[in-house]
């Protein structure tokens, strides 16, 4: 293999060859079995180990290419392609089909088409893979032309077209293809793909209508309905669908837990997690990512640590999403030491991981560290996004790093990022805290977006701190305009203005602000406090009790 063996070991990271190198084992069967269990990295290690020993079986190549496609290992897929050409395996229809499918799923649609055109023999599976590749790349026109030229079409072909159109947002064409499928040909996948198409595009009325018409349902379509309702914020309907199920799979529980978490119902998510385990289901990577997010939002560090311990104990794969979830949980809970420890141990650090760590340091007052990790991110080749800049600008504002903040703000142009009102708000806050009120005022006037109450309020607050009535006079018109154009009943700006004038002993204007406020018949929003009761006891109930061995 051209560079392939070393690449597998690098890509598979924490996989081990333990228990998979027995010479008495049929290695091709072992690969097939690993792929059936979605243990793609293990399958690649089995293949690599036996290739080193000189073994070569053509029937194994399509299986290994499937693993490459699942893991998006394009470089390894290309190495296998080169080996197939050298061994003349590429003439085989199964190998050729697996090659173009791998290229299509890895986003190399032009390479997939070259393989397709080069193949001396094609079957309906080959055509289906090519159609699916074009749909995945967003080229629905070419996919349609291929579909029309197919001499034989199976239900898989029709399902690919329905799914492809729905995935690309053309739900009308998806439904047209669904309606063209003969009743006797439609299977549960056809129905499920169409229902999921409606749900994914936010049309839950159409999804429910079709869902109720289904002759039979699989776990996948139930989850599509649950997730669809949660995305619309309709928690009651999502839970209603879940409760209708007589038998619930892990996929269904994951949809429920994830939906609760995404809608901010984190305590309900943790309760569902407990119940799921009580019913005998073991969590997987998807489950723990949602649970870690719930722990992060609730800032329940002890529960998060219990989940981390469970991940290790149960041998749940520490993939990118799980590691990101751990970093985010520890960072949001204030355990920055463990957040940094996990982050530094990650072989691949994506933008989400960097953002979690940077925002964690910024939110907990470690502003210098936030800027340090931003600089590391900037030089690492990972592109910062809107969230990154928002976190680091907030850190600069709180730490008083004015010049650093201005310089970092200027870098947004380098990454073709357009500053939002929130970014400008951070910059106004940064300048205001430093007493550079005229610059902050000029920034507001020159902003390409309309300043909102938050931005104006930040500057007014700074004017109050620095007792600057000159800037207040210039901003008064903007504040009035902002309040008049808003439906909000928050009149904090009038109170701040009154206090500023009072501090400057300009009593007439102070009284005028109070009078304007009373004329609006505004009422002070009552304050409230939230007290979390029984936190220690609650946190200990998230994981099942361990059975002690005597």
């Amino acid at each position: 293999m051209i560079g392939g063996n070393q690449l597998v070991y690098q890509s598979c990271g924490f996989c081990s060859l333990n228990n998979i190198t027995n010479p008495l084992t049929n290695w091709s069967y072992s690969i097939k079995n690993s792929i059936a269990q979605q243990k793609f990295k293990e399958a690649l290690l089995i293949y690599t180990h036996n290739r080193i020993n000189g073994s070569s079986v053509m029937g194994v190549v399509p299986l290994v290419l499937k693993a490459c496609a699942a893991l998006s290992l394009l470089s390894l897929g290309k190495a296998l392609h080169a080996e197939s050409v050298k061994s003349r395996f590429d003439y085989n229809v199964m190998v050729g089909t697996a090659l173009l499918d791998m290229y299509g799923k890895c986003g190399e649609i032009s390479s997939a088409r070259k393989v397709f055109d080069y193949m001396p023999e094609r079957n309906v599976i080959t055509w289906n893979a090519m159609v699916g590749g074009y749909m995945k790349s967003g080229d629905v026109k070419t996919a349609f032309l291929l579909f029309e030229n197919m001499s034989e079409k199976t239900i898989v072909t029709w399902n690919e077209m329905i799914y492809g159109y729905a995935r690309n947002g053309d739900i009308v064409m998806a439904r047209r293809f669904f309606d063209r499928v003969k009743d006797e040909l439609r299977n549960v996948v056809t129905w499920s793909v169409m229902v999921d198409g409606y749900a994914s595009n936010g049309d839950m009325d159409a999804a429910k209508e079709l869902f109720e018409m289904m002759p039979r349902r699989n776990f996948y379509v139930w989850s599509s309905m649950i997730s669809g309702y949660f995305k619309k914020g309709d928690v009651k309907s999502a839970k209603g669908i879940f409760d209708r199920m007589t038998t619930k799979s892990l996929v269904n529980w994951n949809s429920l837990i994830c939906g609760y978490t995404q809608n901010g119902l984190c305590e309900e998510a943790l309760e569902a997690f407990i119940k799921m385990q009580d019913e005998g289901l073991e969590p997987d990577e998807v489950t723990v990512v949602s649970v870690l997010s719930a722990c992060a939002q609730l800032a329940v560090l002890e529960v998060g640590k219990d989940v981390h311990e469970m991940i290790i104990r149960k041998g749940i794969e520490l993939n990118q999403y799980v590691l990101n979830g751990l970093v985010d949980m520890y960072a949001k809970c204030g355990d920055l030491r463990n957040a940094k420890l996990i982050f530094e141990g990650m072989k691949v650090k994506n933008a989400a991981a960097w953002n979690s760590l940077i925002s964690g340091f910024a939110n907990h007052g470690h502003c210098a560290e936030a800027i340090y990790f931003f600089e590391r991110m900037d030089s690492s080749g990972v592109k910062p996004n809107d969230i990154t800049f928002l976190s680091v600008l907030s850190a600069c504002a709180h730490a008083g790093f004015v010049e650093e903040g201005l310089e970092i703000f200027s870098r947004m142009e380098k990454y073709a990022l357009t500053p939002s009102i929130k970014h400008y708000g951070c910059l106004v806050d940064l300048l205001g805290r430093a007493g550079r009120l005229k610059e902050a005022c000029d920034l507001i006037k020159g902003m390409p977006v309309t300043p909102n109450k938050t931005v104006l309020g930040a500057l007014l607050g700074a004017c109050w701190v620095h007792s600057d009535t000159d800037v207040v006079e210039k901003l008064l018109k903007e504040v009035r305009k902002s309040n008049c154009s808003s439906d909000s009943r928050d009149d904090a700006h009038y109170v701040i203005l009154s206090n500023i004038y009072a501090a400057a002993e300009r009593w007439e204007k102070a009284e005028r602000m109070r009078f304007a406020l009373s004329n609006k018949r505004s009422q002070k929003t009552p304050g409230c406090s939230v007290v979390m009761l029984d936190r220690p006891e609650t946190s200990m109930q998230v994981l099942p009790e361990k059975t002690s061995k005597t």
Side-chain angles (χ1 to χ4, degrees):
M1 183 186 298
I2 303 175
N5 295 336
Q6 184 180 0
L7 192 60
V8 174
Y9 286 117
Q10 291 174 346
S11 303
C12 292
F14 37 78
C15 285
S16 170
L17 281 171
N18 292 342
N19 302 322
I20 61 173
T21 57
N22 189 334
L24 300 178
T25 302
N26 184 322
W27 63 282
S28 60
Y29 173 79
S30 297
I31 290 175
K32 186 175 182 179
N33 188 52
S34 295
I35 289 176
Q37 298 177 41
Q38 297 190 338
K39 297 179 179 179
F40 301 111
K41 292 180 179 179
E42 183 178 284
L44 293 179
L45 283 170
I46 297 170
Y47 177 77
T48 303
H49 175 75
N50 284 278
R51 286 295 294 117
I52 291 172
N53 293 337
S55 303
S56 180
V57 178
M58 182 175 67
V60 170
V61 175
L63 298 173
V64 181
L65 287 167
K66 183 175 181 178
C68 293
L71 298 172
S72 297
L73 294 177
L74 180 60
S75 298
L76 179 57
K78 286 182 176 180
L80 282 166
H81 188 180
E83 184 179 80
S84 298
V85 171
K86 182 179 179 181
S87 305
R88 301 188 68 81
F89 289 167
D90 59 322
Y91 283 98
N92 179 272
V93 66
M94 290 179 62
V95 174
T97 301
L99 278 168
L100 74 88
D101 185 59
M102 180 274 299
Y103 280 121
K105 288 177 178 174
C106 289
E108 289 273 339
I109 193 63
S110 58
S111 297
R113 185 58 190 256
K114 286 178 183 177
V115 173
F116 180 82
D117 292 337
Y118 180 76
M119 290 175 67
E121 178 189 357
R122 308 183 193 104
N123 58 22
V124 67
I125 302 172
T126 312
W127 284 84
N128 288 344
M130 196 68 246
V131 167
Y134 275 119
M135 281 297 190
K136 181 177 173 62
S137 71
D139 189 352
V140 294
K141 183 178 179 180
T142 306
F144 176 77
L145 291 174
L146 272 178
F147 174 85
E148 292 296 320
N149 287 324
M150 290 179 68
S151 57
E152 178 189 359
K153 299 179 181 73
T154 64
I155 189 57
V156 175
T157 317
W158 289 97
N159 292 345
E160 284 281 5
M161 294 298 291
I162 297 166
Y163 176 75
Y165 277 117
R167 177 193 178 100
N168 285 282
D170 192 345
I171 200 66
V172 174
M173 281 297 291
R175 184 57 190 258
R176 286 179 185 173
F177 270 81
F178 176 82
D179 291 337
R180 284 175 61 184
V181 182
K182 296 178 181 179
D183 290 341
E184 62 272 15
L185 192 60
R186 281 183 196 153
N187 59 18
V188 68
V189 176
T190 315
W191 286 89
S192 299
V193 166
M194 191 65 243
V195 170
D196 182 67
Y198 279 125
S200 299
N201 285 276
D203 191 348
M204 290 310 297
D205 291 336
K208 188 174 189 302
E209 181 182 355
L210 203 63
F211 176 79
E212 299 298 347
M213 292 168 56
M214 291 182 69
R216 66 187 184 92
R217 305 181 183 103
N218 56 15
F219 290 123
Y220 173 78
V221 77
W222 286 98
S223 285
S224 295
M225 291 295 294
I226 294 166
S227 298
Y229 277 123
F230 271 127
K231 286 177 184 176
K232 298 283 284 187
D234 190 348
V235 175
K236 183 178 179 181
S237 295
K239 184 61 164 59
I241 291 288
F242 181 83
D243 289 339
R244 282 175 58 183
M245 300 183 67
T246 54
T247 304
K248 302 173 180 71
S249 71
L250 178 61
V251 174
N252 307 129
W253 279 102
N254 284 346
S255 297
L256 183 72
I257 295 168
C258 179
Y260 276 141
T261 303
Q262 290 175 346
N263 281 271
L265 301 171
C266 298
E267 291 183 0
E268 287 83 348
L270 295 181
E271 288 171 6
F273 179 54
I274 298 167
K275 191 172 182 182
M276 182 196 83
Q277 293 173 95
D278 288 343
E279 294 193 6
L281 280 84
E282 289 290 327
D284 64 0
E285 296 86 352
V286 177
T287 321
V288 297
V289 167
S290 296
V291 173
L292 287 169
S293 177
C295 293
Q297 292 180 52
L298 291 172
V300 284
L301 178 60
E302 292 307 313
V303 180
K305 285 183 175 180
D306 286 345
V307 174
H308 189 181
E309 180 189 343
M310 181 203 68
I311 291 169
I312 304 302
R313 189 173 70 249
K314 291 182 178 292
I316 295 173
E317 183 181 344
L318 291 167
N319 62 24
Q320 187 77 54
Y321 300 104
V322 175
L323 290 170
N324 285 349
L326 285 167
V327 172
D328 185 58
M329 183 274 294
Y330 279 117
K332 283 182 176 159
C333 290
D335 189 346
L336 299 173
R337 179 179 174 277
N338 272 322
K340 182 181 175 183
L341 190 66
I342 294 168
F343 176 83
E344 296 292 9
M346 294 172 66
K347 293 185 176 180
V348 178
K349 301 175 177 69
N350 61 10
W354 285 101
N355 287 346
S356 293
L357 195 66
I358 291 168
S359 64
F361 278 117
N363 292 336
H364 290 90
H366 298 267
C367 303
E369 288 87 345
I371 295 170
Y372 165 73
F373 277 99
F374 172 77
E375 296 296 349
R376 274 186 56 184
M377 179 185 186
D378 196 29
S379 61
S380 71
V382 178
K383 179 182 176 182
N385 56 25
D386 293 348
I387 298 171
T388 320
F389 279 97
L390 201 58
S391 297
V392 76
L393 286 172
S394 176
C396 289
H398 284 87
F401 298 151
V402 181
E403 298 306 324
E404 292 89 340
L406 292 171
E407 192 276 327
I408 287 169
F409 181 82
S410 68
R411 289 194 222 174
M412 293 188 72
E413 186 178 355
K414 167 187 171 183
Y415 291 104
L417 295 172
T418 303
S420 69
I421 190 69
K422 292 182 179 180
H423 296 98
Y424 282 109
C426 281
L427 211 56
V428 169
D429 189 35
L430 173 72
L431 293 168
R433 285 171 184 259
R436 295 165 65 166
L437 303 178
K438 185 179 183 304
E439 291 176 63
C441 187
D442 292 340
L443 175 67
I444 290 176
K445 290 180 179 179
M447 280 165 48
V449 291
T450 304
N452 60 12
K453 288 185 174 183
T454 304
V455 174
L456 293 171
L459 186 51
L460 285 174
C463 290
W464 185 13
V465 171
H466 297 282
S467 302
D468 192 325
T469 57
D470 293 334
V471 173
V472 169
E473 296 287 351
K474 294 177 183 178
L475 273 177
L476 186 57
K477 189 178 294 184
E478 280 82 355
V479 173
R480 284 174 175 167
K481 193 179 296 182
S482 171
N483 280 334
C484 289
S485 63
S486 173
D487 293 331
S488 172
R489 300 180 71 177
D490 177 14
D491 300 290
H493 293 162
Y494 281 93
V495 176
I496 294 174
L497 282 166
S498 176
N499 291 338
I500 292 171
Y501 286 129
E505 297 186 357
R506 298 173 69 174
W507 306 111
E508 184 179 343
K509 290 200 172 187
E511 184 61 28
R512 194 181 299 166
M513 289 298 104
R514 293 285 180 177
F515 183 72
L517 186 62
S518 64
N519 280 345
K520 292 184 69 181
R521 296 180 180 178
S522 299
Q523 293 181 348
K524 184 179 183 295
T525 304
C528 64
S529 298
V530 177
V531 179
M532 181 68 73
L533 299 175
D534 300 328
R535 171 63 62 82
E537 288 78 6
T538 302
S539 67
M540 296 307 293
Q541 296 173 4
V542 174
L543 299 176
E545 294 184 8
K546 303 172 194 174
T547 55
S548 58
K549 295 181 181 180
T550 56

